[in-house]
Amino acid sequence: MGELLHKIERERRTQGNVIFYLATPPTLYAEVLQRLGAAGLSHTRCSLSPPSQAPPRTAIPVGGPLLRPPPTTPRTESEGVWPRIVIEKPFGRDLQSAQALNHVVHQAFQEEQVYRIDHYLGKETVQNILVFRLANGIFEPLWNRNYIDHVQITAAETLGIENRGAYYEQAGALRDMVQNHLLQLLALVAMEPPVTFEAEAVRDEKQKVWQAMHPMSAEEVSQCTVRGQYGAGEGGGKPTKGYRSEDKVSPNSSTETYVAMKFFIDNWRWADVPFYVRSGKRLAKRVTEIVIQFKRVPHMFFQHSACNRVEPNLLMLNIQPDEGISLTFGAKVPGQAICINPVQMEFRYSQSFGAQAAEPYERLLLDCLRGDQTLYARHDGVEAAWALTTPLLEAWQNSPPPSFPNYPAGSWGPAEADTWIAQDGHHWHQ
Ligand code: BG6
């Protein structure tokens, strides 16, 4: 491979710049990384136009310098020359395996060369979370425990597992969606403003959020989580089979296709504010959204009457599919009596901007070409997310679910998830 890369470099004048993209089964990641390192391909050593301190090009033997051991001072990103590596999820399957994988990665590559991809971070609406919070003066003063009652983060899918039974049996909803995508969304909602909008500063602030969330004990797992698995039901007006009847799925599978959980962030901004996170396959509707529920007014001035529907203010960040933001507030219904009903102010991407946004992967891969890691996961972030999710996996493994399947395809998940959140005096917004 080194010879091929060198040939391309000479022909296309790529100056030693290479992106390796690991889209292999995760079981091969470690070996591929080790071999790239052993072959010297993770170091930058050859270029058609070397920087002044580097040996002149004539000093590099023609015919495969990339295959030789690295020189004493490999050239770096800061010198504008780079091999980079993009790694797909899943990045490990628990804390221990993620740490081991990071170790292997770092034996071959510097962290500044590593791009752990999470396609949620490439979505326009996800990038807009920070813009919404930090480019507008009116929301940030309210963005804390004094005004926010709780937060709900939902990623609901109507699809089942499609043809991915073998993968999903090993993964489940927690590993597939929560450890990565949903904890990233949570961090963007909860983080402090970074000092600059640069990769390290942004990722430092996200890291602090995960560090402020304590891993659950086994008892907390039983109190703060609900899991589910879909049975036969309906999807798109047609009958659909249950998870256990899907291809390459065990008929006794205890893999969860639905999870709901409650996290707390133990810091000054968020102490005691629950963050409810849920995700499931074969649910009633495809929707990913973040709902910020504000506290009620301290004293209700208007008398209760049959016509009043006074709801707390809700700010909904619609990540997909109907991308936009809406704010719900109470308004007086026209007429003699004081009757209050919730109404909405809406922003829709399609109406305001029209143009179709770039696909998340387009955006992210372009960032990788440009050397911008802001929208990529850093090693410590991946480990922090696993530190939060691994105790759930362990507790669940020790107490297999008695009632699977516990929700019909096409529903909003297990009824237990509704009674569970109702114990806190809340209900799911859907
Ligand atoms: C992937 C999961 O990471 O995200 C899939 O492996 C899931 O199971 C998908 O369906 C959801 O992505 P999106 O962009 O459709 O919300």
Side-chain angles (χ1 to χ4, degrees):
M1 192 206 280
E3 277 178 28
L4 175 63
L5 288 176
H6 189 58
K7 180 167 171 280
I8 294 171
E9 186 194 335
R10 270 179 295 164
E11 285 172 8
R12 306 281 169 91
R13 303 182 68 80
T14 50
Q15 307 193 9
N17 298 341
V18 182
I19 294 178
F20 299 103
Y21 190 113
L22 281 196
T24 68
T27 45
L28 297 179
Y29 287 174
E31 185 166 356
V32 174
L33 288 159
Q34 275 157 356
R35 288 188 183 219
L36 287 175
L41 294 174
S42 55
H43 298 277
T44 304
R45 288 165 302 112
C46 61
S47 165
L48 293 172
S49 48
S52 50
Q53 310 93 314
R57 171 149 171 73
T58 49
I60 300 173
V62 176
L66 285 166
L67 284 175
R68 290 161 202 249
T72 43
T73 49
R75 293 183 27 220
T76 61
E77 287 265 336
S78 52
E79 291 170 284
V81 189
W82 42 262
R84 295 179 185 147
I85 184 146
V86 180
I87 307 179
E88 277 281 353
K89 81 177 237 287
F91 194 91
R93 42 180 291 105
D94 55 19
L95 177 58
Q96 205 185 6
S97 55
Q99 285 169 332
L101 186 53
N102 270 332
H103 182 69
V104 176
V105 169
H106 289 153
Q107 282 185 322
F109 292 89
Q110 308 279 325
E111 182 63 23
E112 64 179 4
Q113 299 173 279
V114 184
Y115 291 73
R116 296 174 192 79
I117 207 161
D118 182 322
H119 79 281
Y120 262 57
L121 294 180
K123 292 180 191 279
E124 275 294 336
T125 41
V126 173
Q127 293 165 53
N128 192 43
I129 296 171
L130 283 190
V131 172
F132 178 78
R133 285 185 53 193
L134 306 178
N136 297 292
I138 60 173
F139 300 106
E140 199 55 21
L142 308 179
W143 212 261
N144 58 55
R145 65 190 304 277
N146 298 327
Y147 298 96
I148 292 180
D149 183 79
H150 71 273
V151 177
Q152 295 184 13
I153 302 178
T154 298
E157 297 184 85
T158 49
L159 290 178
I161 53 161
E162 305 309 291
N163 297 319
R164 299 194 304 157
Y167 156 76
Y168 204 85
E169 273 287 84
Q170 299 302 315
L174 185 72
R175 286 190 176 97
D176 190 46
M177 293 294 291
V178 179
Q179 185 275 338
N180 34 69
H181 308 323
L182 298 193
L183 282 176
Q184 288 286 350
L185 295 184
L186 181 150
L188 290 168
V189 172
M191 67 189 261
E192 295 299 318
V195 280
T196 64
F197 201 64
E198 282 167 10
E200 292 317 306
V202 171
R203 298 189 299 178
D204 284 349
E205 294 307 330
K206 289 203 285 186
Q207 184 67 9
K208 288 182 202 164
V209 172
W210 296 316
Q211 282 172 337
M213 296 163 67
H214 70 269
M216 292 183 206
S217 65
E219 196 189 337
E220 285 170 320
V221 172
S222 71
Q223 288 165 1
C224 297
T225 68
V226 175
R227 41 187 171 152
Q229 186 190 76
Y230 64 83
E234 262 203 8
K238 286 189 251 154
T240 53
K241 52 187 168 184
Y243 176 71
R244 289 179 177 182
S245 309
E246 301 273 13
D247 198 24
K248 302 210 171 84
V249 169
S250 156
N252 306 314
S253 173
S254 56
T255 300
E256 80 287 354
T257 61
Y258 175 100
V259 283
M261 63 204 62
K262 176 167 62 168
F263 288 114
F264 288 98
I265 302 170
D266 301 331
N267 63 18
W268 277 44
R269 188 189 281 262
W270 296 115
D272 301 327
V273 177
F275 280 70
Y276 298 97
V277 171
R278 67 176 169 160
S279 179
K281 299 259 183 215
R282 284 262 185 256
L283 297 183
K285 191 175 161 193
R286 176 177 179 245
V287 60
T288 301
E289 70 182 9
I290 300 166
V291 180
I292 316 285
Q293 180 166 325
F294 290 90
K295 291 191 170 167
R296 289 180 183 272
V297 291
H299 168 67
M300 194 26 140
F301 184 77
F302 302 103
Q303 293 303 310
H304 271 295
S305 74
C307 66
N308 271 355
R309 277 181 52 218
V310 184
E311 308 277 342
N313 297 119
L314 299 179
L315 180 70
M316 299 199 192
L317 309 180
N318 306 109
I319 306 296
Q320 61 189 23
D322 193 13
E323 289 86 356
I325 296 177
S326 62
L327 180 66
T328 309
F329 57 94
K332 180 180 174 300
V333 181
Q336 192 70 19
I338 299 274
C339 270
I340 302 168
N341 265 208
V343 293
Q344 284 192 335
M345 285 201 297
E346 299 243 9
F347 149 64
R348 294 289 130 206
Y349 275 79
S350 53
Q351 283 168 11
S352 299
F353 299 123
Q356 195 68 26
E359 285 297 315
Y361 270 85
E362 292 174 326
R363 161 68 201 242
L364 292 173
L365 292 178
L366 189 58
D367 279 359
C368 178
L369 286 170
R370 292 167 55 235
D372 184 348
Q373 292 177 302
T374 311
L375 302 179
Y376 284 85
R378 203 168 63 187
H379 67 106
D380 50 350
V382 171
E383 290 180 19
W386 277 120
L388 292 168
T389 42
T390 302
L392 277 65
L393 294 168
E394 287 169 354
W396 288 349
Q397 200 171 12
N398 294 334
S399 67
S403 56
F404 277 8
N406 60 353
Y407 70 96
S411 69
W412 271 109
E416 189 193 343
D418 297 339
T419 47
W420 170 76
I421 197 171
Q423 287 165 13
D424 289 355
H426 305 311
H427 64 272
W428 296 111
H429 296 290
Q430 47 216 21

